[in-house]
């Protein structure tokens, strides 16, 4: 079965600074990859997804992620962080025709003024 | 457009009491439906999924059960709650297996 690791439990960045959240997956074939964001007490909102094609994926709120097969990674990036980006971010990996989507443990983002 | 509802939003229940959480989806037909639990400070654990009415698959053996009495309704139940059942319960839907899952607002359950 597939698995996903988010190495950073908590990251703090200053407002206006760039951001990169790491995600590594384990799966033998090409996975489906997702990034979700969760504000406190809320459900998960999809930021972006990768199924195939262009390995650089653009999402909502100015986020992007790059699929690197050689590194088994799907890192999330944003060039300039806003205070409203403070939340928990989850990377997830799915596979074709499989309902068992696996989520990472999440990375909590704190934004300093 | 599609929307997903969960209720109640918050629930406080004594140990040993029954549980019923409801999830409904609007704007789509024959969705795949999912129940997840999120413990404090942890990721999501898939509990159940359903690909059609009356079809339930369990991922984790426990004292919870799920039912799908209608196409767009998914219910999570327990006959007797345990302290360890406390957590944040999320319902999600997708068009096809393996593809994007869209989440509801969640139900926070506290068992005392």
């Amino acid at each position: 079965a597939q698995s996903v690791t988010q190495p950073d439990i908590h990251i703090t960045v200053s407002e206006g600074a760039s951001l990169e959240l790491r995600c590594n997956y384990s799966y033998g074939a090409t996975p489906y990859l997702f990034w979700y964001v969760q504000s406190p007490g809320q459900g998960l909102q999809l930021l972006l997804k990768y199924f195939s094609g262009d390995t650089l994926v653009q999402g909502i709120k100015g986020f992007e992620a790059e699929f690197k097969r050689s590194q088994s990674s799907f890192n999330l990036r944003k060039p300039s962080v806003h205070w409203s980006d403070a939340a928990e971010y989850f990377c997830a990996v799915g596979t074709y025709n499989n309902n068992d989507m696996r989520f990472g443990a999440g990375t909590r983002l704190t934004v300093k003024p | 457009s599609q929307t997903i509802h969960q209720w109640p939003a918050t629930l406080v229940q004594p140990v040993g009491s029954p549980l019923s959480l409801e999830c409904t989806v609007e704007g789509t037909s024959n969705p795949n439906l999912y129940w997840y639990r999120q413990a404090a400070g942890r990721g999501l654990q898939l509990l159940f999924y359903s690909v059609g009415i009356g079809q339930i698959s369990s991922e984790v053996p426990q004292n919870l059960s799920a039912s799908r009495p209608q196409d767009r309704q998914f219910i999570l139940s327990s006959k007797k709650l345990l302290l360890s059942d406390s957590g944040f319960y999320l319902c999600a839907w997708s068009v096809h297996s393996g593809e994007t899952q869209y989440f509801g607002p969640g139900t926070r359950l506290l068992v005392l």
Side-chain angles (χ1 to χ4, degrees):
Chain A
Q2 72 276 23
S3 65
V4 60
T5 301
Q6 292 181 247
D8 304 305
I9 297 174
H10 186 200
I11 283 183
T12 299
V13 300
S14 298
E15 190 168 17
S18 63
L19 171 70
E20 182 168 27
L21 302 182
R22 296 184 292 165
C23 172
N24 295 100
Y25 70 89
S26 175
Y27 184 61
T30 300
Y32 296 163
L33 295 162
F34 308 85
W35 274 101
Y36 288 87
V37 61
Q38 184 183 33
S39 297
Q42 304 296 315
L44 275 69
Q45 181 184 21
L46 180 71
L47 285 176
L48 46 79
K49 61 187 177 184
Y50 172 80
F51 286 176
S52 64
D54 192 346
T55 57
L56 184 61
V57 180
Q58 301 297 321
I60 62 172
K61 303 185 180 185
F63 286 93
E64 67 177 24
E66 186 171 11
F67 171 56
K68 292 186 177 180
R69 184 189 303 276
S70 62
Q71 299 177 21
S72 298
S73 69
F74 189 57
N75 294 349
L76 182 71
R77 301 192 295 249
K78 186 169 184 177
S80 178
V81 170
H82 188 262
W83 64 266
S84 60
D85 293 324
E88 186 132 24
Y89 292 80
F90 292 93
C91 182
V93 56
T95 62
Y96 172 73
N97 207 32
N98 187 333
N99 285 290
D100 188 11
M101 182 180 290
R102 298 296 175 93
F103 286 79
T107 298
R108 181 171 300 280
L109 174 66
T110 298
V111 180
K112 293 190 303 183
Chain B
S1 64
Q2 301 86 6
T3 56
I4 178 169
H5 304 280
Q6 288 186 244
W7 61 85
T10 305
L11 190 60
V12 181
Q13 292 284 96
V15 169
S17 64
L19 173 73
S20 180
L21 303 182
E22 189 166 343
C23 171
T24 59
V25 181
E26 297 177 355
T28 187
S29 295
N30 196 31
N32 288 358
L33 295 171
Y34 309 84
W35 277 113
Y36 288 89
R37 177 167 58 203
Q38 184 178 28
R42 301 182 64 181
L44 279 71
Q45 178 187 38
L46 179 63
L47 302 175
F48 302 93
Y49 68 87
S50 171
V51 299
I53 296 174
Q55 301 178 60
I56 308 295
S57 296
S58 174
E59 292 296 305
V60 181
Q62 57 213 321
N63 69 317
L64 300 172
S65 62
S67 62
R68 186 170 177 173
Q70 300 180 43
D71 180 43
R72 290 169 288 177
Q73 184 184 34
F74 204 24
I75 297 173
L76 183 69
S77 304
S78 174
K79 293 182 179 178
K80 287 186 178 181
L81 282 169
L82 306 173
L83 287 174
S84 58
D85 292 324
S86 294
F88 193 51
Y89 289 82
L90 289 158
C91 181
W93 71 274
S94 70
V95 175
H96 299 298
S97 301
E99 296 187 1
T100 305
Q101 293 183 18
Y102 300 95
F103 286 81
T107 294
R108 183 159 306 281
L109 172 65
L110 180 60
V111 182
L112 300 175

